[in-house]
Amino acid sequence: MSSLQQLIKSAPSTLLVNQPTNNVLRVILNRPSAFNALSLPQASYLKDLYNALSKEDITVIMEGADTGKKTKSFCSGGDVREIWEEGMWRWQGKKDAPSPLPATDVTSTFFHTEYQMNTLISRHASQISIWDGIVMGGGVGLSIHGSHRVSTNRTVFAMPETGIGLFPDVGGSRWLPGLENGWGYYLGLTGERIGGKTARRLGVSNVHVDDWNDDVRDGIVDRIGGGEAVDEVMRDVDEGGDEEGELDEVVKDCFYNKGTVEEVWESLEGHGSDLASKVREGMKKKSETSMRITFEQLKRGGVYDGDMEKCMAMEYDITQNVMREEGGDFYEGIRAVLVDKDMKPEWKEWSGEVERYFERGDWEEWKM
């Protein structure tokens, strides 16, 4: 048995991984009760899997398990609740912390491991991710850097981090700045959702199959397994995106080529449309600190011009500063959205400083 076969056999129950057949390997994210949110053990295993696959000519097809609910999900994001709990003990002085604290610091290990996994996926020649349902946050990181992303009529895509006191990480600085006409800044700052056809038009997904089903997937698997080129197979099934609408005008007028967050807000306020006012009102509910970090992150990411490792190292430093900030917006955002679920975060007043979130503290530099 090869080392790859042994690794596949040792997959955790939260990941269903089959042995490759005709150079096609299927991976199913299997945490349906959590809408297939990504956990640290999953990220660690997938890092090892993609490292092993670096020597193989294998196409990975990644899907989310059936949730058994009306709402489908590819992956709803990283398991930030676990990170929040440890951060409350380790960095926020929560009184019921275990003694001694766990040797593994999840607030650093999760991001370090996840970003290594993201980077290995970006290097793999052929990955087809099926966005048949929710794809957010960490689920975007699992798939956006792969070669093919398939949206459907059930796709709900978002980078919602500014609503939980974080920022669009998992390589957001690599791809968001490249979206045309300000769309990357819009998605990153507002955290708003888009559907599958819009994702396809913007190039967020690069294949759209409106009615995704088992027959479509099996046909793709058979054709690739039969030796047809992946790009050709995916072009054949692609149904294209939607047409531009009013939101495209607002995004271009208010988010494109702006130098500061203030310019975005002023553009929205002066736009005159009800839709622009709605977008601005939505942004008022987000963490201002997170939006300021996000704007600077995307500016720097644009300069890095797609260099994955530079983007990941920058984002890792931001996460560690955010985790260690006493009374920071991340802890309040997770409390409001995922713990108490009152949806009423009380954000800290913006300090006026963004540079400090990009500085390296007393942690090791992120590396592959």
Side-chain angles (χ1 to χ4, degrees):
M1 183 180 291
S2 71
S3 58
L4 177 60
Q5 288 173 323
Q6 290 176 332
L7 181 62
I8 290 171
K9 193 173 181 180
S10 70
S13 60
T14 54
L15 287 166
L16 306 180
V17 186
N18 71 343
Q19 295 292 344
T21 303
N22 296 325
N23 291 328
V24 177
L25 184 153
R26 289 185 62 199
V27 176
I28 299 176
L29 307 168
N30 188 38
R31 297 185 70 204
S33 62
F35 291 98
N36 299 320
L38 180 71
S39 66
L40 177 56
Q42 287 177 304
S44 181
Y45 176 84
L46 288 170
K47 182 189 77 170
D48 293 341
L49 177 64
Y50 277 90
N51 195 40
L53 288 173
S54 65
K55 305 176 182 68
E56 306 287 342
D57 181 20
I58 289 175
T59 294
V60 177
I61 297 182
M62 186 177 290
E63 300 177 82
D66 189 344
T67 62
K69 305 178 180 69
K70 184 177 180 181
T71 302
K72 305 295 183 182
S73 182
F74 169 73
C75 175
S76 59
D79 193 349
V80 289
R81 172 69 183 263
E82 179 184 12
I83 298 168
W84 178 87
E85 288 176 348
E86 173 136 346
M88 290 295 289
W89 300 332
R90 197 174 288 272
W91 305 115
Q92 302 299 309
K94 188 177 178 183
K95 293 181 179 179
D96 61 349
S99 182
L101 285 170
T104 300
D105 176 6
V106 175
T107 64
S108 59
T109 304
F110 184 95
F111 294 108
H112 196 280
T113 302
E114 183 182 27
Y115 293 178
Q116 288 179 324
M117 175 199 68
N118 297 150
T119 304
L120 288 167
I121 288 173
S122 76
R123 297 174 181 175
H124 191 67
S126 183
Q127 173 177 303
I128 303 170
S129 301
I130 313 303
W131 290 352
D132 194 29
I134 297 168
V135 53
M136 296 184 183
V140 176
L142 271 173
S143 50
I144 195 75
H145 308 294
S147 60
H148 297 85
R149 291 90 59 196
V150 182
S151 54
T152 78
N153 62 4
R154 290 177 287 269
T155 298
V156 181
F157 180 97
M159 294 296 284
E161 287 82 0
T162 57
I164 57 169
L166 205 52
F167 63 97
D169 66 329
V170 292
S173 50
R174 183 191 189 216
W175 64 274
L176 282 167
L179 295 186
E180 292 185 351
N181 296 328
W183 268 98
Y185 283 83
Y186 169 80
L187 292 173
L189 291 168
T190 69
E192 291 293 339
R193 302 174 177 187
I194 56 173
K197 286 189 175 181
T198 299
R200 176 65 187 94
R201 172 167 55 80
L202 297 176
V204 177
S205 68
N206 53 11
V207 178
H208 183 82
V209 178
D210 211 50
D211 184 19
W212 178 266
N213 56 61
D214 291 348
D215 290 340
V216 175
R217 182 198 58 236
D218 293 346
I220 291 171
V221 170
D222 289 346
R223 289 181 63 183
I224 295 173
E228 294 188 52
V230 176
D231 285 347
E232 181 180 336
V233 173
M234 301 314 291
R235 275 197 300 269
D236 286 349
V237 300
D238 182 24
E239 299 169 10
D242 59 11
E243 301 294 326
E244 290 189 5
E246 183 186 1
L247 181 57
D248 291 88
E249 178 186 334
V250 171
V251 171
K252 186 173 183 180
D253 289 348
C254 301
F255 290 83
Y256 177 63
N257 204 25
K258 302 303 179 187
T260 63
V261 175
E262 283 85 359
E263 287 184 28
V264 173
W265 283 332
E266 289 166 5
S267 297
L268 288 167
E269 187 173 25
H271 191 269
S273 70
D274 291 342
L275 183 54
S277 297
K278 182 179 178 182
V279 171
R280 192 173 189 276
E281 288 303 308
M283 289 179 69
K284 287 181 179 179
K285 299 176 182 177
K286 310 300 181 183
S287 160
E288 183 173 356
T289 299
S290 289
M291 288 191 289
R292 301 281 185 168
I293 292 171
T294 296
F295 197 90
E296 180 65 21
Q297 171 207 359
L298 299 191
K299 282 173 59 180
R300 296 188 185 203
V303 174
Y304 292 158
D305 194 27
D307 188 315
M308 185 70 172
E309 292 193 35
K310 285 184 178 179
C311 290
M312 294 282 75
M314 172 183 67
E315 291 181 11
Y316 183 71
D317 287 339
I318 304 172
T319 64
Q320 296 313 290
N321 280 303
V322 168
M323 292 301 110
R324 288 161 169 74
E325 184 175 18
E326 185 176 354
D329 278 356
F330 170 75
Y331 295 100
E332 174 61 10
I334 298 301
R335 179 208 64 77
V337 175
L338 296 178
V339 181
D340 296 339
K341 299 181 181 180
D342 57 29
M343 309 306 288
K344 296 179 180 179
E346 296 183 9
W347 305 121
K348 289 180 68 172
E349 185 177 349
W350 163 239
S351 67
E353 299 178 53
V354 73
E355 187 70 30
R356 65 187 180 89
Y357 291 98
F358 293 80
E359 296 172 352
R360 182 162 304 125
D362 59 354
W363 53 84
E364 292 186 10
E365 179 183 6
W366 180 90
K367 293 180 180 179
M368 280 301 297

